[in-house]
Coordinates of all heavy atoms in Angstrom, one line a residue:
G31 N -37.1 154.8 170.2 CA -37.1 156.2 170.5 C -35.9 157.0 170.6 O -36.0 158.2 170.4
G32 N -34.7 156.4 170.8 CA -33.6 157.2 171.0 C -33.4 157.9 172.3 O -34.5 158.1 173.0
G33 N -32.2 158.2 172.8 CA -32.0 158.7 174.1 C -32.3 160.2 174.1 O -32.5 160.9 173.1
A34 N -32.4 160.7 175.3 CA -32.6 162.2 175.5 C -31.4 163.0 175.2 O -30.3 162.4 175.3 CB -33.0 162.5 177.0
T35 N -31.6 164.1 174.6 CA -30.5 165.0 174.3 C -29.8 165.5 175.6 O -30.5 165.8 176.5 CB -31.0 166.3 173.6 OG1 -31.8 165.9 172.5 CG2 -29.8 167.1 173.0
P36 N -28.5 165.4 175.7 CA -27.8 165.8 176.9 C -28.0 167.2 177.1 O -28.0 168.1 176.2 CB -26.3 165.5 176.6 CG -26.2 165.0 175.2 CD -27.6 164.8 174.6
V37 N -28.3 167.6 178.4 CA -28.7 168.9 178.8 C -27.5 169.9 178.4 O -27.7 171.0 178.1 CB -29.0 169.0 180.2 CG1 -29.3 170.4 180.6 CG2 -30.2 168.1 180.6
S38 N -26.3 169.4 178.5 CA -25.1 170.3 178.3 C -25.0 170.9 176.9 O -24.4 171.9 176.7 CB -23.8 169.5 178.6 OG -23.7 168.4 177.7
S39 N -25.8 170.2 176.0 CA -25.7 170.8 174.6 C -26.7 171.8 174.4 O -26.8 172.4 173.3 CB -25.9 169.6 173.6 OG -27.2 169.1 173.7
M40 N -27.6 172.0 175.4 CA -28.7 172.9 175.2 C -28.2 174.3 175.7 O -27.6 174.4 176.7 CB -29.9 172.5 176.0 CG -30.6 171.2 175.6 SD -31.3 171.5 174.0 CE -32.4 170.0 173.9
P41 N -28.6 175.3 174.9 CA -28.1 176.7 175.3 C -28.8 177.2 176.5 O -28.3 178.0 177.3 CB -28.5 177.5 174.1 CG -29.5 176.8 173.4 CD -29.3 175.3 173.7
W42 N -30.0 176.7 176.8 CA -30.8 177.2 177.9 C -31.0 176.1 178.9 O -31.3 175.0 178.5 CB -32.2 177.8 177.5 CG -32.1 178.9 176.5 CD1 -32.0 178.8 175.1 CD2 -31.9 180.3 176.8 NE1 -31.9 180.0 174.6 CE2 -31.8 181.0 175.5 CE3 -31.9 181.0 178.0 CZ2 -31.7 182.3 175.5 CZ3 -31.8 182.4 177.9 CH2 -31.7 183.1 176.6
S43 N -31.0 176.4 180.2 CA -31.2 175.4 181.3 C -31.8 176.0 182.5 O -31.5 177.2 182.8 CB -29.8 174.8 181.6 OG -30.0 174.0 182.8
V44 N -32.6 175.2 183.2 CA -33.3 175.7 184.4 C -32.2 175.9 185.5 O -32.5 176.6 186.4 CB -34.4 174.8 184.9 CG1 -35.6 174.8 184.0 CG2 -33.8 173.4 185.1
D45 N -31.1 175.3 185.3 CA -29.9 175.5 186.3 C -29.4 176.9 186.1 O -28.6 177.3 187.0 CB -28.8 174.5 186.1 CG -29.3 173.1 186.5 OD1 -30.2 173.0 187.4 OD2 -28.8 172.1 186.0
R46 N -29.6 177.6 185.0 CA -29.1 178.9 184.8 C -30.2 179.9 184.9 O -30.4 180.9 184.1 CB -28.4 179.0 183.5 CG -27.0 178.3 183.5 CD -26.2 178.6 182.3 NE -26.7 178.1 181.1 CZ -26.5 176.8 180.7 NH1 -25.8 176.0 181.3 NH2 -27.1 176.4 179.5
A47 N -31.1 179.7 185.9 CA -32.2 180.7 186.2 C -31.9 181.2 187.6 O -31.7 180.4 188.6 CB -33.5 180.1 186.2
I48 N -31.9 182.6 187.8 CA -31.7 183.2 189.1 C -32.9 184.0 189.5 O -33.4 184.8 188.7 CB -30.5 184.1 189.0 CG1 -29.2 183.3 188.7 CG2 -30.3 184.8 190.3 CD1 -28.0 184.1 188.5
Q49 N -33.4 183.7 190.7 CA -34.6 184.5 191.1 C -34.2 185.9 191.5 O -33.2 186.2 192.2 CB -35.3 183.8 192.3 CG -36.5 184.5 192.7 CD -37.2 183.7 193.9 OE1 -37.1 182.6 194.1 NE2 -38.2 184.4 194.5
L50 N -35.0 186.9 191.0 CA -34.8 188.3 191.3 C -35.4 188.6 192.6 O -36.6 188.4 192.9 CB -35.4 189.1 190.2 CG -34.7 189.1 188.9 CD1 -35.5 189.7 187.8 CD2 -33.3 189.9 188.9
E51 N -34.6 189.2 193.5 CA -35.1 189.6 194.8 C -35.5 191.0 194.8 O -35.2 191.8 193.9 CB -34.0 189.3 195.9 CG -33.6 187.8 196.0 CD -34.6 187.0 196.7 OE1 -35.5 187.5 197.3 OE2 -34.5 185.7 196.6
G52 N -35.9 191.5 196.0 CA -36.3 192.9 196.1 C -37.6 193.3 195.5 O -38.6 192.7 195.8
S53 N -37.5 194.2 194.5 CA -38.7 194.6 193.8 C -38.6 194.3 192.3 O -38.4 195.1 191.5 CB -38.9 196.2 193.9 OG -38.5 196.6 195.3
P54 N -38.8 193.0 192.0 CA -38.6 192.6 190.6 C -39.6 193.1 189.7 O -39.5 192.9 188.5 CB -38.7 191.0 190.8 CG -39.4 190.8 192.0 CD -39.1 191.9 192.9
E55 N -40.7 193.7 190.2 CA -41.8 194.2 189.4 C -41.3 195.3 188.4 O -41.8 195.5 187.4 CB -42.9 194.8 190.2 CG -43.5 193.9 191.2 CD -42.7 193.8 192.5 OE1 -42.3 194.8 192.9 OE2 -42.6 192.7 193.0
R56 N -40.2 195.9 188.8 CA -39.6 196.9 188.0 C -39.1 196.4 186.6 O -38.8 197.1 185.7 CB -38.4 197.7 188.7 CG -37.2 196.9 189.0 CD -36.3 197.6 189.9 NE -35.2 196.8 190.4 CZ -33.9 196.9 189.9 NH1 -33.6 197.8 189.0 NH2 -33.0 196.2 190.4
F57 N -38.9 195.0 186.6 CA -38.5 194.4 185.4 C -39.7 194.0 184.4 O -39.5 193.5 183.4 CB -37.6 193.2 185.7 CG -36.3 193.5 186.3 CD1 -36.1 193.2 187.7 CD2 -35.3 194.2 185.6 CE1 -34.9 193.5 188.3 CE2 -34.1 194.5 186.2 CZ -33.9 194.2 187.6
A58 N -40.9 194.2 184.9 CA -42.1 193.7 184.3 C -42.2 194.3 182.9 O -42.6 193.7 181.9 CB -43.4 194.0 185.1
G59 N -41.8 195.6 182.7 CA -41.8 196.3 181.5 C -40.6 196.2 180.7 O -40.4 196.9 179.7
S60 N -39.6 195.4 181.1 CA -38.3 195.4 180.5 C -38.4 194.8 179.1 O -39.2 193.9 178.8 CB -37.4 194.5 181.4 OG -36.1 194.3 180.7
S61 N -37.4 195.3 178.2 CA -37.4 194.8 176.9 C -36.9 193.3 176.9 O -37.0 192.6 175.9 CB -36.5 195.6 176.0 OG -35.2 195.7 176.6
A62 N -36.2 192.9 178.0 CA -35.8 191.5 178.1 C -36.8 190.5 178.5 O -36.5 189.3 178.7 CB -34.5 191.5 179.0
M63 N -38.0 191.0 178.9 CA -39.1 190.2 179.4 C -39.6 189.2 178.4 O -39.9 189.6 177.3 CB -40.2 191.1 179.9 CG -41.3 190.3 180.7 SD -40.7 190.0 182.4 CE -42.0 188.9 182.9
L64 N -39.6 187.9 178.7 CA -40.1 186.9 177.8 C -41.6 186.8 178.1 O -42.0 186.2 179.2 CB -39.3 185.6 178.0 CG -39.7 184.5 177.0 CD1 -39.4 184.8 175.6 CD2 -39.0 183.2 177.4
E65 N -42.4 187.2 177.2 CA -43.8 187.2 177.4 C -44.4 185.7 177.1 O -43.6 184.9 176.5 CB -44.5 188.2 176.6 CG -44.1 189.6 176.7 CD -44.5 190.2 178.1 OE1 -45.3 189.6 178.8 OE2 -44.0 191.3 178.4
C66 N -45.6 185.5 177.4 CA -46.4 184.3 177.0 C -45.9 183.0 177.5 O -46.2 181.9 177.0 CB -46.5 184.2 175.4 SG -45.0 183.8 174.6
V67 N -45.0 183.1 178.6 CA -44.7 181.8 179.3 C -45.0 182.1 180.8 O -45.0 183.3 181.2 CB -43.2 181.4 179.1 CG1 -42.9 181.0 177.7 CG2 -42.3 182.5 179.6
S68 N -45.4 181.0 181.5 CA -45.8 181.2 182.9 C -44.8 180.4 183.8 O -45.1 180.3 185.0 CB -47.2 180.7 183.1 OG -47.3 179.4 182.6
S69 N -43.7 179.9 183.3 CA -42.8 179.2 184.2 C -41.4 179.3 183.5 O -41.3 179.4 182.3 CB -43.2 177.8 184.5 OG -43.0 177.0 183.4
V70 N -40.4 179.0 184.4 CA -39.0 178.9 183.9 C -38.8 177.7 183.0 O -38.2 177.8 181.9 CB -38.0 178.9 185.0 CG1 -36.6 178.6 184.5 CG2 -38.0 180.2 185.8
S71 N -39.4 176.6 183.4 CA -39.2 175.4 182.6 C -39.9 175.5 181.3 O -39.4 175.0 180.2 CB -39.7 174.2 183.4 OG -41.0 174.3 183.7
E72 N -41.0 176.1 181.2 CA -41.7 176.3 180.0 C -40.9 177.2 179.0 O -40.8 177.0 177.8 CB -43.1 177.0 180.2 CG -44.0 177.1 179.0 CD -45.3 177.8 179.3 OE1 -45.6 177.9 180.5 OE2 -46.0 178.3 178.4
A73 N -40.3 178.2 179.6 CA -39.4 179.1 178.8 C -38.2 178.4 178.3 O -37.9 178.5 177.1 CB -38.9 180.3 179.7
V74 N -37.6 177.6 179.1 CA -36.4 176.8 178.7 C -36.7 175.9 177.6 O -36.0 175.8 176.6 CB -35.8 176.0 179.9 CG1 -34.8 175.0 179.4 CG2 -35.2 177.0 180.9
E75 N -37.9 175.2 177.7 CA -38.3 174.2 176.6 C -38.5 175.0 175.3 O -38.1 174.5 174.3 CB -39.5 173.4 177.1 CG -39.2 172.4 178.1 CD -40.5 171.7 178.6 OE1 -41.5 171.7 177.9 OE2 -40.5 171.2 179.8
G76 N -39.2 176.1 175.4 CA -39.5 176.9 174.2 C -38.4 177.4 173.5 O -38.2 177.4 172.3
L77 N -37.4 177.9 174.3 CA -36.2 178.5 173.8 C -35.3 177.4 173.1 O -34.7 177.6 172.1 CB -35.4 179.3 174.9 CG -36.1 180.6 175.3 CD1 -35.5 181.0 176.7 CD2 -35.9 181.7 174.3
N78 N -35.2 176.3 173.8 CA -34.3 175.3 173.3 C -34.9 174.6 172.0 O -34.2 174.2 171.2 CB -34.1 174.2 174.4 CG -33.0 174.6 175.4 OD1 -32.1 175.3 175.1 ND2 -33.1 174.1 176.6
S79 N -36.2 174.5 172.0 CA -36.9 173.9 170.8 C -37.0 174.9 169.6 O -37.4 174.4 168.5 CB -38.2 173.4 171.2 OG -39.1 174.4 171.6
G80 N -36.8 176.2 169.9 CA -36.9 177.2 168.8 C -38.3 177.7 168.7 O -38.5 178.5 167.7
L81 N -39.2 177.3 169.5 CA -40.6 177.9 169.4 C -40.6 179.3 169.9 O -41.4 180.1 169.5 CB -41.5 177.0 170.3 CG -41.8 175.6 169.8 CD1 -42.6 174.8 170.8 CD2 -42.5 175.6 168.5
L82 N -39.7 179.6 170.8 CA -39.6 181.0 171.4 C -38.2 181.5 171.0 O -37.3 180.7 170.9 CB -39.7 180.9 172.9 CG -41.1 180.4 173.5 CD1 -41.0 180.3 175.0 CD2 -42.2 181.3 173.0
Y83 N -38.1 182.8 171.0 CA -36.8 183.4 170.8 C -36.6 184.4 172.0 O -37.5 185.1 172.3 CB -36.5 184.0 169.5 CG -37.4 185.2 169.1 CD1 -36.9 186.5 169.3 CD2 -38.6 185.0 168.5 CE1 -37.7 187.6 169.0 CE2 -39.4 186.1 168.2 CZ -38.9 187.4 168.4 OH -39.7 188.5 168.1
S84 N -35.4 184.5 172.4 CA -35.1 185.5 173.5 C -35.1 186.9 173.1 O -34.5 187.2 172.0 CB -33.7 185.1 174.1 OG -33.4 186.0 175.2
P85 N -35.8 187.8 173.8 CA -35.9 189.2 173.5 C -34.5 189.9 173.6 O -34.3 190.9 173.0 CB -36.9 189.7 174.5 CG -36.9 188.8 175.6 CD -36.6 187.5 175.0
A86 N -33.6 189.4 174.4 CA -32.3 190.0 174.6 C -31.3 188.9 174.2 O -31.6 187.8 174.4 CB -32.1 190.4 176.0
P87 N -30.1 189.3 173.7 CA -29.1 188.3 173.3 C -28.5 187.6 174.4 O -27.8 188.2 175.2 CB -28.1 189.1 172.5 CG -28.3 190.5 173.0 CD -29.7 190.7 173.3
G88 N -28.9 186.3 174.6 CA -28.2 185.5 175.6 C -28.9 185.4 176.9 O -28.5 184.6 177.8
F89 N -30.0 186.2 177.1 CA -30.7 186.2 178.4 C -32.1 186.7 178.3 O -32.4 187.4 177.3 CB -29.9 187.0 179.5 CG -29.9 188.5 179.3 CD1 -30.9 189.3 179.9 CD2 -29.0 189.1 178.5 CE1 -30.9 190.7 179.7 CE2 -29.0 190.5 178.3 CZ -30.0 191.3 178.9
C90 N -32.9 186.5 179.2 CA -34.2 187.0 179.3 C -34.8 187.0 180.7 O -34.1 186.4 181.6 CB -35.2 186.3 178.3 SG -35.4 184.5 178.7
I91 N -35.9 187.7 180.9 CA -36.5 187.6 182.2 C -37.8 186.8 182.1 O -38.6 187.1 181.1 CB -36.8 189.0 182.7 CG1 -35.5 189.8 182.9 CG2 -37.6 189.0 184.0 CD1 -35.7 191.3 183.2
V92 N -38.1 185.9 183.0 CA -39.3 185.1 183.0 C -40.0 185.3 184.3 O -39.4 185.3 185.3 CB -38.8 183.6 182.7 CG1 -40.1 182.7 182.8 CG2 -38.1 183.4 181.5
R93 N -41.3 185.3 184.2 CA -42.2 185.4 185.4 C -42.7 184.0 185.6 O -43.3 183.4 184.7 CB -43.3 186.4 185.3 CG -44.1 186.5 186.6 CD -45.2 187.6 186.5 NE -45.9 187.7 187.7 CZ -47.0 186.9 188.1 NH1 -47.4 186.0 187.2 NH2 -47.5 187.0 189.3
S94 N -42.6 183.5 186.8 CA -43.1 182.3 187.3 C -44.5 182.6 187.9 O -44.5 183.2 189.0 CB -42.3 181.5 188.2 OG -43.0 180.4 188.8
A95 N -45.6 182.1 187.2 CA -46.9 182.5 187.8 C -47.2 181.7 189.1 O -47.8 182.2 190.0 CB -47.9 182.0 186.7
A96 N -46.7 180.5 189.2 CA -46.9 179.7 190.3 C -46.2 180.3 191.6 O -46.8 180.3 192.7 CB -46.4 178.3 190.2
K97 N -45.0 180.9 191.4 CA -44.3 181.4 192.6 C -44.5 182.9 192.7 O -44.1 183.5 193.7 CB -42.8 181.1 192.4 CG -42.4 179.7 192.5 CD -40.9 179.4 192.7 CE -40.5 178.0 193.0 NZ -40.5 177.2 191.8
G98 N -45.0 183.5 191.7 CA -45.2 185.0 191.7 C -43.9 185.7 191.7 O -43.8 186.7 192.3
A99 N -42.9 185.1 191.1 CA -41.5 185.6 191.1 C -41.0 185.8 189.7 O -41.4 185.2 188.8 CB -40.6 184.7 191.9
Y100 N -39.9 186.7 189.6 CA -39.3 186.9 188.4 C -37.9 186.3 188.4 O -37.2 186.3 189.4 CB -39.1 188.4 188.1 CG -40.5 189.1 187.7 CD1 -41.3 189.5 188.8 CD2 -40.8 189.3 186.4 CE1 -42.5 190.1 188.5 CE2 -42.1 189.9 186.1 CZ -42.9 190.3 187.2 OH -44.0 190.9 186.9
Y101 N -37.5 185.7 187.2 CA -36.2 185.0 187.1 C -35.4 185.6 185.9 O -36.0 185.9 184.9 CB -36.4 183.6 186.9 CG -37.0 182.8 188.2 CD1 -38.3 182.8 188.4 CD2 -36.1 182.1 189.0 CE1 -38.9 182.1 189.5 CE2 -36.6 181.5 190.2 CZ -38.0 181.5 190.4 OH -38.5 180.8 191.5
I102 N -34.1 185.7 186.1 CA -33.2 185.9 185.0 C -32.9 184.5 184.5 O -32.4 183.6 185.2 CB -31.9 186.6 185.4 CG1 -32.2 187.9 186.1 CG2 -31.1 186.8 184.1 CD1 -30.9 188.5 186.6
L103 N -33.1 184.3 183.1 CA -32.7 183.1 182.5 C -31.5 183.5 181.6 O -31.7 184.4 180.7 CB -33.9 182.5 181.7 CG -33.8 181.1 181.2 CD1 -33.5 180.1 182.3 CD2 -35.1 180.8 180.5
Y104 N -30.4 182.8 181.7 CA -29.3 183.2 180.9 C -28.5 182.0 180.3 O -28.5 180.9 180.8 CB -28.2 184.0 181.6 CG -27.6 183.4 182.8 CD1 -26.4 182.7 182.8 CD2 -28.3 183.4 184.1 CE1 -25.9 182.1 183.9 CE2 -27.8 182.8 185.2 CZ -26.6 182.1 185.1 OH -26.1 181.5 186.2
Q105 N -28.0 182.2 179.1 CA -27.2 181.2 178.5 C -25.8 181.0 179.1 O -25.3 181.9 179.8 CB -27.0 181.4 177.0 CG -28.3 181.3 176.2 CD -28.1 181.7 174.7 OE1 -27.1 182.3 174.3 NE2 -28.9 181.2 173.8
Q106 N -25.2 179.9 178.9 CA -23.9 179.7 179.5 C -22.9 180.8 179.1 O -22.8 181.1 177.9 CB -23.3 178.3 179.1 CG -22.1 177.8 179.9 CD -21.9 176.3 179.8 OE1 -22.7 175.6 179.1 NE2 -21.0 175.8 180.5
G107 N -22.2 181.4 180.1 CA -21.3 182.4 179.8 C -21.9 183.8 179.7 O -21.2 184.8 179.5
K108 N -23.2 183.9 179.8 CA -23.9 185.2 179.6 C -24.4 185.8 180.9 O -25.0 186.9 180.8 CB -25.1 185.0 178.7 CG -24.8 184.5 177.3 CD -24.2 185.7 176.5 CE -24.1 185.3 175.0 NZ -23.5 186.4 174.2
R109 N -24.0 185.3 182.0 CA -24.5 185.8 183.3 C -24.1 187.2 183.5 O -24.8 188.1 183.9 CB -23.9 184.9 184.4 CG -24.4 185.4 185.8 CD -24.0 184.5 186.9 NE -23.9 185.2 188.2 CZ -24.0 184.6 189.3 NH1 -24.1 183.3 189.5 NH2 -23.9 185.4 190.4
E110 N -22.7 187.5 183.3 CA -22.2 188.9 183.5 C -22.9 189.9 182.6 O -23.2 191.0 183.0 CB -20.7 188.9 183.3 CG -20.0 188.3 184.5 CD -18.5 188.3 184.3 OE1 -17.9 189.0 183.4 OE2 -17.8 187.5 185.0
T111 N -23.1 189.4 181.4 CA -23.8 190.3 180.3 C -25.1 190.6 180.8 O -25.5 191.8 180.8 CB -23.9 189.5 179.0 OG1 -22.6 189.1 178.5 CG2 -24.5 190.4 177.9
A112 N -25.9 189.6 181.3 CA -27.3 189.8 181.7 C -27.3 190.8 182.9 O -28.1 191.7 182.9 CB -27.9 188.5 182.1
F113 N -26.4 190.6 183.9 CA -26.4 191.4 185.0 C -26.0 192.8 184.7 O -26.6 193.8 185.3 CB -25.3 190.9 186.0 CG -25.9 189.8 187.0 CD1 -26.7 188.8 186.4 CD2 -25.6 189.7 188.3 CE1 -27.2 187.8 187.2 CE2 -26.1 188.7 189.1 CZ -26.9 187.7 188.6
S114 N -25.1 193.1 183.8 CA -24.7 194.4 183.4 C -25.8 195.1 182.6 O -26.1 196.3 182.8 CB -23.4 194.5 182.7 OG -23.5 193.8 181.5
Q115 N -26.4 194.4 181.7 CA -27.4 194.9 180.9 C -28.7 195.3 181.7 O -29.3 196.3 181.4 CB -27.9 193.9 179.8 CG -26.9 193.6 178.8 CD -26.9 194.6 177.6 OE1 -28.0 195.1 177.2 NE2 -25.8 194.9 177.1
L116 N -28.9 194.6 182.8 CA -30.1 194.9 183.6 C -29.7 195.8 184.8 O -30.6 196.1 185.6 CB -30.7 193.5 184.2 CG -31.3 192.6 183.1 CD1 -31.5 191.2 183.7 CD2 -32.6 193.1 182.5
G117 N -28.5 196.1 184.9 CA -28.1 197.0 185.9 C -28.1 196.5 187.3 O -28.4 197.1 188.2
L118 N -27.8 195.2 187.4 CA -27.9 194.5 188.7 C -26.6 194.5 189.5 O -26.6 194.6 190.7 CB -28.4 193.0 188.4 CG -29.8 192.9 187.9 CD1 -30.0 191.4 187.5 CD2 -30.8 193.4 188.8
G119 N -25.4 194.4 188.7 CA -24.2 194.3 189.5 C -24.1 192.9 190.1 O -25.0 192.1 189.9
D120 N -23.2 192.7 191.0 CA -23.0 191.4 191.6 C -23.5 191.4 193.1 O -23.3 190.5 193.8 CB -21.5 191.0 191.6 CG -21.1 190.6 190.2 OD1 -22.0 190.0 189.5 OD2 -20.0 190.9 189.8
C121 N -24.1 192.6 193.4 CA -24.6 192.7 194.8 C -26.0 192.2 195.0 O -26.5 192.2 196.2 CB -24.5 194.2 195.3 SG -25.5 195.2 194.3
I122 N -26.6 191.6 194.0 CA -27.9 191.2 194.1 C -28.0 190.0 195.0 O -27.1 189.1 195.0 CB -28.5 190.8 192.7 CG1 -30.0 190.4 192.8 CG2 -27.7 189.6 192.0 CD1 -30.7 190.2 191.4
T123 N -29.1 189.9 195.7 CA -29.2 188.7 196.6 C -29.8 187.5 195.8 O -30.8 187.7 195.1 CB -30.3 189.0 197.7 OG1 -30.1 190.3 198.3 CG2 -30.3 188.0 198.8
L124 N -29.0 186.5 195.8 CA -29.4 185.3 195.0 C -30.1 184.3 195.9 O -29.7 184.0 197.0 CB -28.2 184.7 194.3 CG -27.4 185.7 193.5 CD1 -26.2 184.9 192.8 CD2 -28.2 186.3 192.4
S125 N -31.2 183.7 195.3 CA -31.8 182.5 196.0 C -31.1 181.3 195.5 O -30.8 181.2 194.3 CB -33.3 182.5 195.7 OG -33.9 183.7 196.1
P126 N -30.9 180.3 196.4 CA -30.4 179.1 195.9 C -31.3 178.4 194.9 O -32.6 178.4 195.2 CB -30.3 178.2 197.1 CG -30.4 179.1 198.3 CD -31.1 180.3 197.8
S127 N -30.9 178.0 193.7 CA -31.8 177.5 192.7 C -32.2 176.2 193.1 O -33.3 175.7 192.7 CB -31.1 177.5 191.3 OG -29.9 176.8 191.4
R128 N -31.4 175.4 193.8 CA -31.8 174.1 194.2 C -32.0 174.0 195.7 O -31.1 174.2 196.5 CB -30.7 173.0 193.7 CG -30.8 172.7 192.3 CD -29.7 171.7 191.9 NE -28.4 172.4 191.9 CZ -27.9 173.0 190.8 NH1 -28.6 173.1 189.8 NH2 -26.7 173.5 190.9
S129 N -33.2 173.7 196.1 CA -33.5 173.5 197.6 C -34.4 172.3 197.6 O -35.4 172.2 197.2 CB -34.2 174.7 198.2 OG -35.3 175.1 197.3
R130 N -33.9 171.2 198.2 CA -34.6 169.9 198.3 C -35.1 169.7 199.7 O -34.4 170.1 200.7 CB -33.7 168.8 197.9 CG -33.2 168.9 196.5 CD -33.7 167.8 195.6 NE -34.0 168.2 194.3 CZ -33.1 168.3 193.3 NH1 -31.8 168.0 193.6 NH2 -33.4 168.6 192.1

């Protein structure tokens, strides 16, 4: 079978997903919204495999149906681009992506 592809070589990762706080519904109609996925991991797999393409260069917004929350998903080095394009600035409240 061969080993798994190292995550570092993938442009998209669940580690680069940030939950949007406040009133994320305002992003529902955004041009950066990635439709037809219901979770961050599903979006990451689709984008990395080429089945999906990002509506915005280097980032997109994904809705997690299970959590009822919206996430920014961004490629490495694209975080500032995503934040400025979405008009978020750096004052956004970030949820820790990893909580065990």
